[in-house]
Amino acid sequence: MKLKPVLCFGEIVWDALPAGIFLGGAPLNVAYHLNCLGRPGLPVSRVGDDFLGEETLRRLHGKGVSDELIQTDDDLPTGAVVVDLDPAGDARYDIREPAAWDAIEATEKLLHAGGKAAALVYGSLALRKDVNRVALSALLEAAPVRLCDVNLRAPFDDRERVLEWAAKATHVKLNGEELDRLSPVSTGEGLEKALAALAETTGVGHFILTRGGEGAHVWKEGRFLSAPVPEVEVADTVGAGDAFTAAYLDAFLKGEEASDCLERAVELGAYVAGRNGAQPDYDKKAPAKP
């Protein structure tokens, strides 16, 4: 049976890392890993009519990722981010603008695809411009499963705006720092309490919390679950959270229990953290498809 696709809305960028320049952006990374897991992931974004835009489409073809919902902008350039890594492999981002991915239009083709999707993934970073907010609002109306991936990157990290759009989701994924920023209860009082308070604030019943090497957690309708992260020699953490998102969502859409979704997610996240770049090839050591 052919699986319904997942639409991944937001930024497509070229990440300039110390090890080289890699095609990335959280929504594109999620789409890539969904495809590797056997589920169609369609990036919804916009690139410039320039060399990097052409190279984006060429790379996607090579990776087997569809570009059918990627728009081309005649004026704005393809997005780029300069990434600095600290000794632990953690990343800091300089997001360049203007960028074409800030101008995704609610075309008839996009809305038609949205009506046939199994789920919609969107990140808070993609909400910094009005054009994107209009397009995303239209897509959210049709999506049965809506996962908001919180991505607080200063100066595009307005708390009230992020809370507003998180409240439109069925699932919210975030890390420990982001939970501290958004919840009215400090994580110092306990992760479960902070998540429960954020659930009450937003009305969302399903939260996914990542904490790097300290593990990951799920808060679902008052039930709190935890999973350790497999030991791995970290190459860099870029894209590991996006792989986590893809694995969790794919397992959820297949009807698996939250504990199993979490287990699959931490395994794939660790696998990607042990490799350079956000979209490494899957080899024999990659976690098996659910």
Side-chain angles (χ1 to χ4, degrees):
M1 182 177 66
K2 186 177 180 180
L3 297 176
K4 289 185 177 182
V6 174
L7 271 55
C8 303
F9 181 99
E11 64 274 15
I12 282 182
V13 298
W14 284 85
D15 291 322
L17 289 149
I21 298 178
F22 301 88
L23 181 61
L28 176 57
N29 295 339
V30 173
Y32 168 79
H33 289 289
L34 284 168
N35 279 281
C36 290
L37 292 169
R39 179 176 295 276
L42 301 181
V44 178
S45 192
R46 196 172 177 95
V47 297
D49 184 14
D50 50 27
F51 170 75
L52 286 180
E54 293 175 359
E55 184 63 12
T56 296
L57 302 182
R58 190 179 75 85
R59 295 283 182 96
L60 292 182
H61 293 161
K63 292 178 178 290
V65 178
S66 173
D67 65 356
E68 63 181 280
L69 298 181
I70 296 177
Q71 305 166 5
T72 300
D73 197 292
D74 293 332
D75 301 312
L76 296 172
T78 301
V81 177
V82 177
V83 184
D84 288 322
L85 300 175
D86 66 19
D90 293 321
R92 295 184 300 275
Y93 304 88
D94 176 15
I95 305 166
R96 302 300 171 90
E97 56 179 333
W101 60 265
D102 276 323
I104 303 168
E105 296 180 352
T107 63
E108 183 177 344
K109 180 179 181 180
L110 175 56
L111 298 182
H112 179 72
K116 295 185 175 183
L120 172 67
V121 177
Y122 63 100
S124 58
L125 184 60
L127 299 169
R128 60 185 188 170
K129 302 293 183 182
D130 287 339
V131 175
N132 279 14
R133 293 195 286 269
V134 169
L136 182 58
S137 291
L139 287 175
L140 285 168
E141 292 181 3
V145 176
R146 305 173 297 280
L147 191 152
C148 176
D149 187 2
V150 176
N151 193 0
L152 300 184
R153 304 277 185 243
F156 314 112
D157 55 352
D158 180 83
R159 180 178 182 273
E160 294 307 314
R161 174 171 290 165
V162 173
L163 286 172
E164 174 190 352
W165 287 87
K168 302 176 188 290
T170 58
H171 299 62
V172 174
K173 173 179 168 285
L174 71 175
N175 63 31
E177 292 181 3
E178 291 161 346
L179 177 59
D180 253 333
R181 283 283 309 277
L182 298 181
S183 178
V185 172
S186 169
T187 56
E189 297 185 37
L191 298 175
E192 187 172 356
K193 287 185 178 180
L195 287 166
L198 186 54
E200 184 175 354
T201 298
T202 60
V204 177
H206 199 146
F207 286 85
I208 306 152
L209 176 66
T210 59
R211 301 176 65 231
E214 296 182 62
H217 312 271
V218 167
W219 189 95
K220 183 180 179 182
E221 304 295 347
R223 184 184 179 200
F224 185 68
L225 305 171
S226 301
V229 173
E231 290 187 13
V232 63
E233 184 176 346
V234 174
D236 68 61
T237 60
V238 179
D242 304 323
F244 179 106
T245 300
Y248 191 96
L249 182 58
D250 180 60
F252 175 82
L253 291 173
K254 289 177 177 175
E256 298 198 23
E257 294 293 331
S259 57
D260 294 325
C261 296
L262 189 58
E263 181 180 349
R264 296 194 185 281
V266 295
E267 286 179 356
L268 188 59
Y271 173 81
V272 173
R275 285 149 180 81
N276 286 318
Q279 301 166 24
D281 292 334
Y282 281 33
D283 57 28
K284 293 180 180 179
K285 295 181 181 180
K289 296 177 184 178

Short mmCIF file of all heavy atoms in Angstrom, two decimals, residues 53-86:
data_model
loop_
_atom_site.label_atom_id
_atom_site.label_comp_id
_atom_site.label_asym_id
_atom_site.label_seq_id
_atom_site.Cartn_x
_atom_site.Cartn_y
_atom_site.Cartn_z
N GLY A 53 20.30 27.62 -6.21
CA GLY A 53 18.96 27.07 -6.41
C GLY A 53 18.98 25.90 -7.39
O GLY A 53 18.35 24.86 -7.15
N GLU A 54 19.71 26.05 -8.48
CA GLU A 54 19.84 24.96 -9.46
C GLU A 54 20.54 23.76 -8.83
O GLU A 54 20.14 22.60 -9.06
CB GLU A 54 20.63 25.45 -10.67
CG GLU A 54 19.92 26.52 -11.49
CD GLU A 54 20.80 27.06 -12.60
OE1 GLU A 54 21.97 26.61 -12.71
OE2 GLU A 54 20.33 27.94 -13.35
N GLU A 55 21.57 24.03 -8.03
CA GLU A 55 22.30 22.95 -7.39
C GLU A 55 21.43 22.24 -6.35
O GLU A 55 21.54 21.02 -6.15
CB GLU A 55 23.58 23.48 -6.76
CG GLU A 55 24.48 22.42 -6.15
CD GLU A 55 25.02 21.41 -7.16
OE1 GLU A 55 24.90 21.65 -8.38
OE2 GLU A 55 25.58 20.39 -6.73
N THR A 56 20.56 23.00 -5.68
CA THR A 56 19.62 22.39 -4.74
C THR A 56 18.77 21.33 -5.42
O THR A 56 18.66 20.20 -4.95
CB THR A 56 18.70 23.46 -4.13
OG1 THR A 56 19.48 24.39 -3.37
CG2 THR A 56 17.65 22.83 -3.22
N LEU A 57 18.18 21.69 -6.54
CA LEU A 57 17.31 20.76 -7.26
C LEU A 57 18.10 19.57 -7.78
O LEU A 57 17.62 18.43 -7.74
CB LEU A 57 16.60 21.49 -8.40
CG LEU A 57 15.74 22.70 -7.98
CD1 LEU A 57 15.05 23.30 -9.21
CD2 LEU A 57 14.72 22.32 -6.93
N ARG A 58 19.32 19.82 -8.24
CA ARG A 58 20.14 18.72 -8.74
C ARG A 58 20.48 17.74 -7.62
O ARG A 58 20.42 16.52 -7.80
CB ARG A 58 21.43 19.28 -9.35
CG ARG A 58 22.25 18.25 -10.12
CD ARG A 58 23.49 18.88 -10.73
NE ARG A 58 24.50 19.12 -9.72
CZ ARG A 58 25.39 18.20 -9.33
NH1 ARG A 58 25.38 16.99 -9.85
NH2 ARG A 58 26.30 18.50 -8.42
N ARG A 59 20.82 18.27 -6.44
CA ARG A 59 21.16 17.40 -5.31
C ARG A 59 19.93 16.60 -4.85
O ARG A 59 20.06 15.42 -4.50
CB ARG A 59 21.68 18.24 -4.14
CG ARG A 59 22.99 18.96 -4.40
CD ARG A 59 24.17 18.04 -4.32
NE ARG A 59 25.42 18.76 -4.53
CZ ARG A 59 26.19 19.24 -3.55
NH1 ARG A 59 25.82 19.07 -2.28
NH2 ARG A 59 27.30 19.89 -3.83
N LEU A 60 18.78 17.23 -4.84
CA LEU A 60 17.57 16.52 -4.43
C LEU A 60 17.28 15.36 -5.36
O LEU A 60 16.91 14.26 -4.92
CB LEU A 60 16.38 17.47 -4.38
CG LEU A 60 16.40 18.54 -3.28
CD1 LEU A 60 15.13 19.37 -3.32
CD2 LEU A 60 16.57 17.92 -1.90
N HIS A 61 17.43 15.60 -6.66
CA HIS A 61 17.22 14.51 -7.61
C HIS A 61 18.17 13.35 -7.31
O HIS A 61 17.78 12.18 -7.35
CB HIS A 61 17.46 15.01 -9.04
CG HIS A 61 16.44 16.00 -9.49
ND1 HIS A 61 16.63 16.86 -10.56
CD2 HIS A 61 15.19 16.29 -9.01
CE1 HIS A 61 15.57 17.62 -10.71
NE2 HIS A 61 14.69 17.30 -9.79
N GLY A 62 19.41 13.69 -7.00
CA GLY A 62 20.40 12.65 -6.71
C GLY A 62 20.09 11.87 -5.45
O GLY A 62 20.46 10.69 -5.34
N LYS A 63 19.41 12.51 -4.50
CA LYS A 63 19.07 11.85 -3.24
C LYS A 63 17.70 11.18 -3.29
O LYS A 63 17.26 10.57 -2.32
CB LYS A 63 19.11 12.86 -2.09
CG LYS A 63 20.50 13.37 -1.76
CD LYS A 63 20.45 14.41 -0.65
CE LYS A 63 21.85 14.90 -0.29
NZ LYS A 63 22.64 13.87 0.39
N GLY A 64 17.00 11.32 -4.40
CA GLY A 64 15.69 10.72 -4.52
C GLY A 64 14.60 11.45 -3.77
O GLY A 64 13.57 10.86 -3.44
N VAL A 65 14.79 12.75 -3.52
CA VAL A 65 13.80 13.57 -2.83
C VAL A 65 13.06 14.43 -3.86
O VAL A 65 13.70 15.11 -4.67
CB VAL A 65 14.45 14.47 -1.76
CG1 VAL A 65 13.40 15.35 -1.08
CG2 VAL A 65 15.18 13.62 -0.73
N SER A 66 11.75 14.41 -3.82
CA SER A 66 10.96 15.15 -4.79
C SER A 66 11.08 16.66 -4.60
O SER A 66 11.11 17.16 -3.47
CB SER A 66 9.48 14.75 -4.67
OG SER A 66 8.67 15.57 -5.49
N ASP A 67 11.14 17.38 -5.73
CA ASP A 67 11.16 18.85 -5.68
C ASP A 67 9.84 19.44 -6.17
O ASP A 67 9.78 20.63 -6.48
CB ASP A 67 12.33 19.39 -6.50
CG ASP A 67 12.17 19.10 -8.00
OD1 ASP A 67 11.21 18.40 -8.39
OD2 ASP A 67 13.03 19.57 -8.78
N GLU A 68 8.78 18.63 -6.22
CA GLU A 68 7.53 19.07 -6.83
C GLU A 68 6.88 20.24 -6.10
O GLU A 68 6.10 20.99 -6.69
CB GLU A 68 6.55 17.92 -6.95
CG GLU A 68 6.10 17.30 -5.63
CD GLU A 68 5.14 16.15 -5.82
OE1 GLU A 68 3.93 16.41 -6.04
OE2 GLU A 68 5.59 14.99 -5.75
N LEU A 69 7.18 20.41 -4.80
CA LEU A 69 6.58 21.50 -4.04
C LEU A 69 7.60 22.57 -3.67
O LEU A 69 7.39 23.36 -2.75
CB LEU A 69 5.91 20.95 -2.78
CG LEU A 69 4.76 19.96 -3.03
CD1 LEU A 69 4.15 19.50 -1.71
CD2 LEU A 69 3.68 20.59 -3.91
N ILE A 70 8.71 22.60 -4.39
CA ILE A 70 9.72 23.64 -4.20
C ILE A 70 9.54 24.70 -5.27
O ILE A 70 9.59 24.42 -6.47
CB ILE A 70 11.14 23.06 -4.24
CG1 ILE A 70 11.33 22.09 -3.07
CG2 ILE A 70 12.18 24.18 -4.17
CD1 ILE A 70 12.68 21.41 -3.06
N GLN A 71 9.30 25.92 -4.86
CA GLN A 71 9.06 27.03 -5.76
C GLN A 71 10.37 27.75 -6.09
O GLN A 71 11.35 27.63 -5.35
CB GLN A 71 8.07 28.00 -5.12
CG GLN A 71 6.76 27.35 -4.70
CD GLN A 71 5.91 28.21 -3.79
OE1 GLN A 71 6.25 29.38 -3.51
NE2 GLN A 71 4.81 27.66 -3.30
N THR A 72 10.38 28.50 -7.19
CA THR A 72 11.55 29.28 -7.59
C THR A 72 11.21 30.76 -7.57
O THR A 72 10.17 31.17 -8.11
CB THR A 72 12.04 28.87 -9.00
OG1 THR A 72 12.39 27.49 -8.98
CG2 THR A 72 13.26 29.69 -9.41
N ASP A 73 12.06 31.56 -6.98
CA ASP A 73 11.87 33.00 -6.85
C ASP A 73 12.78 33.74 -7.81
O ASP A 73 13.98 33.45 -7.87
CB ASP A 73 12.16 33.43 -5.40
CG ASP A 73 11.60 34.80 -5.09
OD1 ASP A 73 12.10 35.79 -5.65
OD2 ASP A 73 10.67 34.88 -4.27
N ASP A 74 12.22 34.68 -8.55
CA ASP A 74 13.00 35.42 -9.54
C ASP A 74 13.90 36.48 -8.92
O ASP A 74 14.85 36.94 -9.57
CB ASP A 74 12.07 36.10 -10.55
CG ASP A 74 11.32 35.11 -11.42
OD1 ASP A 74 11.85 34.00 -11.64
OD2 ASP A 74 10.20 35.43 -11.87
N ASP A 75 13.61 36.88 -7.70
CA ASP A 75 14.33 38.00 -7.09
C ASP A 75 15.16 37.62 -5.87
O ASP A 75 16.30 38.08 -5.71
CB ASP A 75 13.34 39.10 -6.70
CG ASP A 75 12.55 39.63 -7.90
OD1 ASP A 75 13.18 39.92 -8.93
OD2 ASP A 75 11.32 39.71 -7.80
N LEU A 76 14.60 36.82 -4.98
CA LEU A 76 15.29 36.50 -3.73
C LEU A 76 16.28 35.35 -3.93
O LEU A 76 16.00 34.42 -4.68
CB LEU A 76 14.28 36.13 -2.65
CG LEU A 76 13.32 37.24 -2.24
CD1 LEU A 76 12.25 36.70 -1.31
CD2 LEU A 76 14.07 38.40 -1.58
N PRO A 77 17.43 35.39 -3.24
CA PRO A 77 18.43 34.33 -3.40
C PRO A 77 18.11 33.08 -2.60
O PRO A 77 17.34 33.12 -1.63
CB PRO A 77 19.71 34.99 -2.86
CG PRO A 77 19.20 35.93 -1.80
CD PRO A 77 17.90 36.47 -2.34
N THR A 78 18.72 31.99 -2.99
CA THR A 78 18.64 30.75 -2.22
C THR A 78 19.25 30.97 -0.83
O THR A 78 20.25 31.67 -0.69
CB THR A 78 19.39 29.63 -2.96
OG1 THR A 78 18.79 29.47 -4.25
CG2 THR A 78 19.30 28.32 -2.21
N GLY A 79 18.66 30.38 0.18
CA GLY A 79 19.08 30.61 1.56
C GLY A 79 20.43 30.02 1.89
O GLY A 79 20.87 29.03 1.29
N ALA A 80 21.10 30.63 2.87
CA ALA A 80 22.40 30.15 3.33
C ALA A 80 22.54 30.40 4.83
O ALA A 80 21.98 31.35 5.38
CB ALA A 80 23.53 30.86 2.58
N VAL A 81 23.29 29.52 5.49
CA VAL A 81 23.55 29.62 6.93
C VAL A 81 25.02 29.29 7.17
O VAL A 81 25.53 28.29 6.65
CB VAL A 81 22.68 28.64 7.74
CG1 VAL A 81 23.03 28.71 9.23
CG2 VAL A 81 21.21 28.93 7.54
N VAL A 82 25.71 30.12 7.94
CA VAL A 82 27.08 29.83 8.35
C VAL A 82 27.01 29.16 9.71
O VAL A 82 26.43 29.70 10.67
CB VAL A 82 27.93 31.11 8.42
CG1 VAL A 82 29.33 30.77 8.92
CG2 VAL A 82 28.01 31.77 7.04
N VAL A 83 27.58 27.96 9.81
CA VAL A 83 27.50 27.14 11.02
C VAL A 83 28.87 27.02 11.67
O VAL A 83 29.83 26.59 11.02
CB VAL A 83 26.95 25.73 10.70
CG1 VAL A 83 26.77 24.93 11.99
CG2 VAL A 83 25.65 25.81 9.93
N ASP A 84 28.95 27.41 12.93
CA ASP A 84 30.17 27.22 13.72
C ASP A 84 29.94 26.08 14.70
O ASP A 84 28.88 25.99 15.32
CB ASP A 84 30.53 28.49 14.49
CG ASP A 84 31.06 29.58 13.57
OD1 ASP A 84 31.79 29.25 12.63
OD2 ASP A 84 30.72 30.76 13.82
N LEU A 85 30.94 25.22 14.86
CA LEU A 85 30.84 24.10 15.79
C LEU A 85 31.80 24.28 16.95
O LEU A 85 32.97 24.63 16.75
CB LEU A 85 31.15 22.78 15.06
CG LEU A 85 30.25 22.43 13.87
CD1 LEU A 85 30.77 21.17 13.20
CD2 LEU A 85 28.81 22.24 14.33
N ASP A 86 31.31 24.03 18.18
CA ASP A 86 32.20 24.09 19.33
C ASP A 86 32.91 22.73 19.48
O ASP A 86 32.65 21.80 18.72
CB ASP A 86 31.43 24.49 20.59
CG ASP A 86 30.40 23.45 21.03
OD1 ASP A 86 30.51 22.28 20.60
OD2 ASP A 86 29.49 23.80 21.80
#
